[in-house]
Amino acid sequence: MCGLVGAFPIPGRSFRSEDVKPAMDRMNRRGPDAEGVWQDAGVVLGHRRLSILDPDPRSHQPMVSACGRHAIVFNGEIYNFRELRRDLEEMGTAFRTTSDTEVLLAMFAAEGEAMLSRLRGMFAFVIWDRIAKRGFAARDAYGIKPLYYAQTPEGALLASQVKALLDSGKVSAAPDARGQAGFWLLGNVPEPRTWYRDIVHLPAGYFAWIENGRVETPRQWWDIGAAWREAPGPKRANAEVCESVRQSVLASVKAHLVSDVPVGVFLSGGIDSGALAGLIQDACAGSIKGVTIAFREFAGRDEDEAPAAALVAKHLGLEHHVRVITRGEFDADLPRILEAIDQPSIDGINTWYAAKAAAELGLKVVVSGIGGDELFQGYSTFRKLPRLVSTWRKLSLVPGAMSVARAAAGLKARRSGNRRWSQLPEGARTIAGAWWLSRGLFSPEELTALMGDDLAHQALRDFSPGRWVEEMSGPLPDDLRLALGQIESTTYLRNQLLRDSDWASMAHGVELRTPLVDTWLLRELQPLLASFGRFPGKSLLAGSPSRGLPVEVLKRPKTGFGIPLGRWLGGDAVTRSPGSDSREWSRRVVRDSLSGLSGRRNPEA
């Protein structure tokens, strides 16, 4: 897990190591173990390393292939690299390290872009071919690891962080209307857009060639949305589903434990982390540390994760560490949190503190239960929204019903002060519209006050929630539950949970691994996705460990992984984030996390 930067000049120009130094400095917390820069004919590759596999200096990056043709900078982990290495060795390839980075280099030399579908892991990497004089950039299909690029008058720049590109001093900080509107409307910036006009997020599951200092049009190598769209209709027997899920999830957990340093687990009081902890115990005989964060404001409430986490730890025999976070600590840490946020988001503080606790224990790698709700249909919306859409479609056929509904929704919007209520009559007729209403932060009518007339007008040209969702997710299946799984995985999971997990964990030099967000797992479970609706409460996942979870955990109300943001921001109520305070927090994030960026760097805006 690391930070990378690449600079590729247009013909007649040349980059130097000094040109990437500010970007490297921005990413120092991503890779505190080593720093390296490589140059060739005006091309510069830079890397900050967090040493996980083969910590020896021989595996530092940028890494050059034995023949000298290819150089790579890589952020992520390839969990099946040892199997791939054996295949390459059988073909005569010799290796100098025991790292996954060198395997990536050899795979690219042997197969080119065709190698991507064979990689099990999370990755964003850039490779330079010194003979062909072109670069290659790629990103994993779920979008776990970020990779941004910008086109400048001198050539193409790529990096692991948006702020790193801005720190180069060569990239404009001019605003992107759609990217910024996405944040105000949904709480996150939807890829491939970013907060800035000239910075692009290489889409998840895409690769791009870099020639003559330009990033060519990205091409998709795999679309995770197809897993839901193409899921077979016939449902399987319950016993078959349960056993298949257990075997597939256990295999994913085993793969995600590949490491040359100790691995811990974020242990909340929920099913996702508890099941993963149990599966980790099934997969290995070694001791593992469970990390839980707690807040005094939640004591005695359902939101308090610590008691249920302690039950799981005792049940499984884990070494358990509870880290209490106080209001005073939050106030002291807030400047660091805001500085670490790479693009505006309404979430991530919880992961920032969990990663802080892990780092204090000396952990570099931690397993997280992110993705369980999307894959196993755990959100309450998987029950409520399909029912709402089906009911609303029938209601819309009744003469005069929609007129009454519009009037009632308008009255509710005025009385509550929440304009999103006015969108209900139209939005509830499609699963995309219903999802938008459930996830929405501000309404389109509020954008002018938040962004100004010009940007709001640009963002809302031909606006419709359905069109925005399709741009983010692709075509949706007819099955409403499967459609919702596809939407959640390609929007909220990708643009918020995974992105927040990256910046928040890497701010402490901690690698966060997600066994439930895994393309191989998704492929294996695709034939079963249509059957998951018969297993409420993520019982499929809960039943996967050989030692079942305590009944108190199974019956515990779902609360999410929250913090007392309302109390900390000065409110009277103890609330969770995101929640009723998300709107206030969103303004604070934009005001403070971006402070100084736009005014300091705005070349050719």
Side-chain angles (χ1 to χ4, degrees):
M1 193 64 60
C2 313
L4 66 85
V5 61
F8 302 88
I10 60 175
R13 303 296 290 267
S14 179
F15 285 111
R16 303 166 300 167
S17 60
E18 306 93 272
D19 294 321
V20 304
K21 187 179 188 307
M24 296 276 287
D25 291 344
R26 167 66 69 170
M27 298 185 294
N28 65 329
R29 292 189 182 91
R30 297 183 69 92
D33 295 334
E35 177 182 7
V37 176
W38 179 87
Q39 303 177 71
D40 175 67
V43 171
V44 180
L45 299 179
H47 192 262
R48 307 273 334 198
R49 187 182 186 202
L50 179 67
S51 303
I52 304 297
L53 296 172
D54 192 5
D56 191 275
R58 65 189 177 185
S59 291
H60 286 350
Q61 299 180 47
M63 181 181 288
V64 180
S65 60
C67 67
R69 175 171 178 171
H70 298 109
I72 187 173
V73 281
F74 164 46
N75 172 30
E77 303 291 353
I78 306 301
Y79 301 124
N80 64 333
F81 80 98
R82 290 181 178 131
E83 295 90 331
L84 297 173
R85 176 183 173 126
R86 285 194 291 269
D87 293 343
L88 291 164
E89 287 175 331
E90 290 176 359
M91 294 187 295
T93 303
F95 290 90
R96 299 162 294 168
T97 74
T98 58
S99 70
D100 54 347
T101 306
E102 190 177 12
V103 172
L104 263 183
L105 266 178
M107 288 283 292
F108 182 77
E111 303 180 17
E113 65 197 54
M115 73 169 180
L116 293 171
S117 62
R118 298 185 62 196
L119 304 177
R120 182 172 200 166
M122 51 181 178
F123 56 83
F125 61 84
V126 177
I127 295 176
W128 175 246
D129 187 329
R130 301 176 69 190
I131 294 179
K133 299 297 181 185
R134 65 175 184 168
F136 179 80
R139 190 160 169 243
D140 68 78
Y142 258 108
I144 304 171
K145 303 318 304 175
L147 184 58
Y148 302 94
Y149 65 90
Q151 203 66 52
T152 77
E154 299 170 64
L157 296 177
L158 296 90
S160 297
Q161 291 183 216
V162 167
K163 287 182 176 178
L165 289 175
L166 291 174
D167 277 355
S168 72
K170 300 178 182 297
V171 180
S172 169
D176 183 275
R178 286 286 294 272
Q180 295 194 9
F183 169 72
W184 294 117
L185 293 172
L186 293 172
N188 55 70
V189 181
E191 66 172 49
R193 296 181 182 275
T194 69
W195 193 257
Y196 305 99
R197 179 194 66 197
D198 292 347
I199 301 178
V200 180
H201 204 171
L202 181 67
Y206 277 71
F207 67 86
W209 292 98
I210 308 161
E211 294 203 62
N212 297 318
R214 299 196 64 82
V215 178
E216 297 184 345
T217 302
R219 294 157 56 188
Q220 189 172 53
W221 64 269
W222 201 57
D223 175 17
I224 65 166
W228 282 271
R229 285 195 298 272
E230 301 168 8
K235 297 182 179 180
R236 309 295 181 90
N238 286 5
E240 178 186 357
V241 174
C242 291
E243 183 57 26
S244 296
V245 166
R246 168 175 162 71
Q247 293 299 328
S248 295
V249 176
L250 180 60
S252 183
V253 168
K254 287 180 178 178
H256 283 71
L257 295 178
V258 172
S259 175
D260 290 330
V261 298
V263 178
V265 60
F266 285 159
L267 192 62
S268 70
I271 288 174
D272 298 337
S273 66
L276 287 182
L279 288 164
I280 290 172
Q281 294 295 82
D282 289 344
C284 66
S287 174
I288 190 167
K289 296 178 180 178
V291 181
T292 302
I293 57 173
F295 310 92
R296 293 193 180 97
E297 291 86 347
F298 286 163
R301 301 169 60 96
D302 289 337
E303 290 88 349
D304 189 1
E305 304 276 356
L311 281 175
V312 173
K314 182 178 180 180
H315 177 69
L316 297 175
L318 298 181
E319 180 182 334
H320 189 212
H321 299 266
V322 178
R323 175 67 157 80
V324 177
I325 312 299
T326 66
R327 165 73 180 273
E329 184 174 3
F330 171 75
D331 290 340
D333 284 339
L334 186 55
R336 292 177 58 200
I337 295 170
L338 292 167
E339 177 72 8
I341 295 175
D342 196 41
Q343 290 195 84
S345 173
I346 59 171
D347 209 350
I349 303 175
N350 44 13
T351 303
W352 194 90
Y353 273 113
K356 180 182 181 180
E360 291 170 347
L361 294 172
L363 290 170
K364 285 186 175 183
V365 180
V366 180
V367 171
S368 167
I370 285 175
D373 283 307
E374 289 76 13
L375 184 59
F376 291 102
Q377 305 173 14
Y379 296 126
S380 62
T381 50
F382 279 97
R383 300 186 307 275
K384 296 177 181 178
L385 296 190
R387 188 163 56 240
L388 171 66
V389 171
S390 297
T391 300
W392 211 259
R393 285 174 177 173
K394 295 175 183 176
L395 182 64
S396 65
L397 299 176
V398 178
M402 292 305 294
S403 297
V404 174
R406 291 188 186 98
L411 180 62
K412 178 71 173 178
R414 290 190 295 273
R415 287 181 172 176
S416 67
N418 188 340
R419 297 184 182 180
R420 287 172 52 223
W421 276 104
S422 63
Q423 304 168 30
L424 179 63
E426 301 303 326
R429 289 195 287 183
T430 68
I431 194 65
W435 173 84
W436 186 281
L437 291 173
S438 72
R439 286 290 184 197
L441 185 61
F442 291 94
S443 70
E445 293 80 8
E446 296 173 285
L447 287 188
T448 296
L450 295 164
M451 302 172 60
D453 288 336
D454 290 343
L455 286 178
H457 178 72
Q458 292 178 47
L460 294 177
R461 190 180 296 123
D462 299 324
F463 170 81
S464 79
R467 185 177 297 113
W468 275 47
V469 170
E470 184 169 354
E471 288 179 5
M472 293 185 289
S473 301
L476 301 174
D478 293 332
D479 184 301
L480 296 181
R481 291 181 72 103
L482 293 177
L484 194 53
Q486 179 182 330
I487 293 172
E488 291 284 11
S489 297
T490 53
T491 58
Y492 179 61
L493 175 64
R494 174 177 291 164
N495 295 325
Q496 186 161 314
L497 295 182
L498 293 176
R499 192 180 301 158
D500 288 343
S501 294
D502 178 77
W503 68 257
S505 61
M506 294 309 296
H508 300 284
V510 172
E511 175 177 291
L512 191 148
R513 295 185 177 182
T514 56
L516 301 179
V517 183
D518 179 85
T519 54
W520 286 38
L521 175 64
L522 183 59
R523 286 175 182 144
E524 291 172 6
L525 296 185
Q526 180 184 11
L528 310 176
L529 292 177
S531 302
F532 284 5
R534 302 202 309 268
F535 299 87
K538 290 181 289 189
S539 57
L540 272 175
L541 180 59
S544 294
S546 61
R547 300 170 67 182
L549 295 177
V551 65
E552 295 88 346
V553 173
L554 297 176
K555 292 184 177 181
R556 182 172 176 262
K558 183 174 176 60
T559 60
F561 182 21
I563 65 172
L565 188 62
R567 178 71 61 84
W568 289 350
L569 291 178
D572 294 327
V574 177
T575 61
R576 294 184 297 109
S577 171
S580 60
D581 295 290
S582 294
R583 290 158 65 95
E584 178 187 348
W585 176 242
S586 67
R587 294 186 177 96
R588 178 74 174 270
V589 167
V590 170
R591 186 188 72 211
D592 294 346
S593 73
L594 305 177
S595 177
L597 289 174
S598 299
R600 193 167 66 247
R601 306 171 193 87
N602 202 25
E604 301 187 15

